Amino acid sequence: MRIAIFTLGCKTNQYESELIRESFEKYGDEIVPFKEKADIYIVNSCVVTHKAESETKKAIRSAMRKNPSAKVILTSCFANLNPDFKMKNLVLYTGERGKLADFVYKKETSPVNLDIEMISQFSERTRATVKIEEGCDNFCTYCIIPFVRGNKIMSKSPETVKREIEMLVRNGYKEVVLTGTEIGKYGEDIGTNLARLLAEIKKVRGIERIRISSIYPTAVTDELIAQIEGKVVPHLHMSLQSGDDEVLKKMNRNYTAGEYLKIVEKLRKKDPLFSITTDIIVGFPGETEEAFLNSMQMVNTVEFAKVHVFRFSKRPFTPAYFMEETVSENTKKIRARRLSEFAKEVAKRYKEKFVGKTVNVLVEEELNGFFYGFTPRYLRVKFPCKSSGILHRIIPVKITSADSELLYGVIKTE
Ligand code: SF4
């Protein structure tokens, strides 16, 4: 059969789409681009924002238009949130993603089980994402995820994670990105933690870089910081969400701006150029101009390499859904623009610290005679090179200039 997969949302969804792809390939099916005619369309959905929810519905409709007699399977968060959602030829599937093809061929449904989830390839990617955990019980007041991904923590055993990474190394991957719903919760259900897992997977021969995708600030303990060296790259995506303590309290984020800064200090004490990226929400109910300026101030103080700015949008089932909105849509737009522009200036300031330095780049793509790839600090580098034999290799590049998005350089040897 011809199978088409459409993936929305987070790294965990991207990983699970790989599981789905491999499950059908085991039956000899062909994976085709979503824009083509297929026998089965799979929409791996997301509901983290209102926009993601409407894009999910759009993808379902577009599949049905392309082949009205095709089966459309809806998986992940939209299916979990709307178990009664019905459309002609639409099937909802919330079981183990790696067993989706068995569900289609044998009508078997298997519960989610992380210890059978292993991928051997990450299509069209130089870096492979590895899902190690599922579930979150932090219940930030704006977040729908515990209601769709569950608040029961499920961790993949260290042995399974190691075997999966060994397989990926055999298939040529030099970098793995560890992901989950909230990987700071890793191991709570199996008597271990992320720091101990890192110590184990560092032993895997042939893996050159281990990256932690996104982590809750208070999960960045001294024990974890001690493991962030060698193969574990000096970059963390540590969501701040707001720089104002009152707003953080209303978000049920259990840290203050001061405590967040203390963690940053510990990371920068270990590596003065430790790279931190983050998410910040503007326009949360109760956010005053002064509170917003506290977020701007944090961006300046931390010197983030990148800030993802989100405008607050109400999500069903969340406590924030019932909070009175005090910030108009127009003010949210203005604050989002001000914060994005300022964050770009700060990112440029941080990236200019690499001018004159040589950085190791894992080369991912070639475009118009230039090559692009990421450093261990997750900085994107652009440089010219005559031979294309450098793709998927780690190359030393001397940095000559920088802007808010890119570092520019030349290959050290040439
Ligand atoms: S920690 Fe992340 S996933 Fe968990 S509730 Fe908060 S925002 Fe959502």
Side-chain angles (χ1 to χ4, degrees):
M1 288 199 292
R2 293 162 59 82
I3 312 292
I5 305 169
F6 188 81
T7 308
L8 289 134
C10 62
K11 283 193 170 59
T12 305
N13 259 13
Q14 288 165 21
Y15 174 89
E16 288 162 354
S17 284
E18 298 299 318
L19 286 175
I20 293 170
R21 174 183 55 75
E22 293 197 7
S23 75
F24 280 99
E25 283 177 345
K26 276 194 202 109
Y27 283 88
D29 293 324
E30 182 195 358
I31 307 298
V32 298
F34 196 76
K35 62 181 183 332
E36 290 184 15
K37 193 168 183 193
D39 305 299
I40 296 182
Y41 292 94
I42 294 150
V43 177
N44 204 4
S45 66
C46 175
V47 291
V48 80
T49 59
H50 185 65
K51 185 161 170 277
E53 202 168 337
S54 41
E55 279 173 3
T56 294
K57 291 177 188 161
K58 211 166 107 202
I60 296 169
R61 286 193 296 272
S62 107
M64 288 177 169
R65 265 196 312 278
K66 269 175 280 196
N67 182 359
S69 61
K71 182 183 283 197
V72 181
I73 302 177
L74 180 63
T75 65
S76 202
C77 298
F78 189 104
N80 293 334
L81 183 67
N82 308 287
D84 307 322
F85 185 74
K86 287 196 173 26
M87 280 173 87
K88 189 168 166 284
N89 281 352
L90 182 74
V91 177
L92 272 56
Y93 179 82
T94 55
E96 171 48 52
R97 308 310 188 271
K99 295 283 184 185
L100 181 48
D102 293 346
F103 168 73
V104 168
Y105 282 101
K106 302 182 199 154
K107 306 284 175 275
E108 288 168 5
T109 299
S110 320
V112 173
N113 171 2
L114 271 69
D115 269 319
I116 60 168
E117 294 187 350
M118 286 212 291
I119 58 168
S120 60
Q121 295 277 347
F122 208 81
S123 41
E124 290 139 36
R125 303 282 174 94
T126 301
R127 289 167 294 129
T129 295
V130 173
K131 174 187 165 185
I132 61 170
E133 181 272 349
E134 185 156 343
C136 179
D137 56 5
N138 283 337
F139 290 103
C140 304
T141 55
Y142 53 83
C143 183
I144 198 169
I145 296 171
F147 303 96
V148 287
R149 281 279 174 184
N151 53 20
K152 178 171 163 280
I153 308 303
M154 293 188 280
S155 303
K156 188 179 281 183
S157 70
E159 297 71 36
T160 307
V161 177
K162 273 181 91 173
R163 262 191 297 123
E164 186 168 15
I165 295 177
E166 283 158 359
M167 192 159 53
L168 289 164
V169 167
R170 283 197 295 278
N171 291 328
Y173 290 88
K174 294 188 173 44
E175 177 173 327
V176 290
V177 183
L178 305 180
T179 196
T181 311
E182 177 25 50
I183 60 174
K185 298 270 169 188
Y186 176 81
E188 284 187 7
D189 56 320
I190 56 173
T192 186
N193 65 24
L194 185 58
R196 282 184 243 156
L197 176 71
L198 290 173
E200 273 309 301
I201 57 179
K202 276 181 185 175
K203 297 174 188 160
V204 174
R205 298 176 68 168
I207 196 67
E208 301 196 29
R209 291 180 179 178
I210 300 165
R211 190 177 302 281
I212 297 169
S213 65
S214 176
I215 190 162
Y216 195 88
T218 54
V220 182
T221 59
D222 292 352
E223 188 190 359
L224 184 72
I225 293 174
Q227 289 297 333
I228 305 180
E229 56 193 23
K231 296 178 180 182
V232 181
V233 295
H235 161 242
L236 283 179
H237 186 81
M238 211 164 63
S239 296
L240 172 67
Q241 302 300 10
S242 173
D244 184 78
D245 290 350
E246 279 313 303
V247 175
L248 285 170
K249 214 180 284 165
K250 287 187 80 179
M251 289 176 165
N252 191 32
R253 300 284 287 179
N254 57 19
Y255 55 84
T256 62
E259 285 158 353
Y260 187 98
L261 282 179
K262 284 225 171 55
I263 300 165
V264 173
E265 277 159 28
K266 285 182 185 170
L267 295 167
R268 293 273 166 75
K269 191 157 166 255
K270 189 162 187 161
D271 172 347
L273 289 173
F274 196 102
S275 175
I276 303 168
T277 53
T278 199
D279 305 319
I280 296 179
I281 296 173
V282 298
F284 190 79
E287 184 190 65
T288 59
E289 175 64 14
E290 193 199 342
F292 170 69
L293 291 175
N294 287 338
S295 293
M296 295 271 270
Q297 184 52 48
M298 277 294 275
V299 169
N300 193 39
T301 310
V302 175
E303 220 170 49
F304 292 110
K306 187 167 182 67
V307 179
H308 300 269
V309 179
F310 298 89
R311 280 182 270 155
F312 171 70
S313 73
K314 282 184 180 223
R315 302 309 296 137
F317 302 100
T318 64
Y321 186 83
F322 304 97
M323 292 180 187
E324 189 210 340
E325 287 250 28
T326 60
V327 185
S328 71
E329 283 309 313
N330 188 40
T331 303
K332 286 182 193 171
K333 266 199 200 113
I334 294 168
R335 285 182 183 168
R337 197 174 48 246
R338 285 165 61 194
L339 184 58
S340 298
E341 282 165 11
F342 182 62
K344 281 204 172 93
E345 285 169 31
V346 171
K348 182 169 184 285
R349 197 172 77 207
Y350 169 74
K351 287 171 184 158
E352 280 171 344
K353 292 179 178 176
F354 293 87
V355 175
K357 293 187 187 326
T358 296
V359 295
N360 289 325
V361 177
L362 174 51
V363 185
E364 296 201 0
E365 65 181 310
E366 179 189 3
L367 214 59
N368 310 328
F370 285 93
F371 288 82
Y372 296 81
F374 285 90
T375 70
R377 291 186 176 84
Y378 205 52
L379 306 178
R380 193 164 153 75
V381 181
K382 174 182 180 180
F383 61 97
C385 179
K386 294 194 188 69
S387 81
S388 60
I390 59 169
L391 275 173
H392 312 310
R393 286 176 50 204
I394 295 179
I395 300 282
V397 175
K398 178 97 188 264
I399 303 303
T400 52
S401 67
D403 61 25
S404 62
E405 298 307 319
L406 287 172
L407 301 182
Y408 302 87
V410 291
I411 291 198
K412 186 108 186 302
T413 45
E414 282 185 13

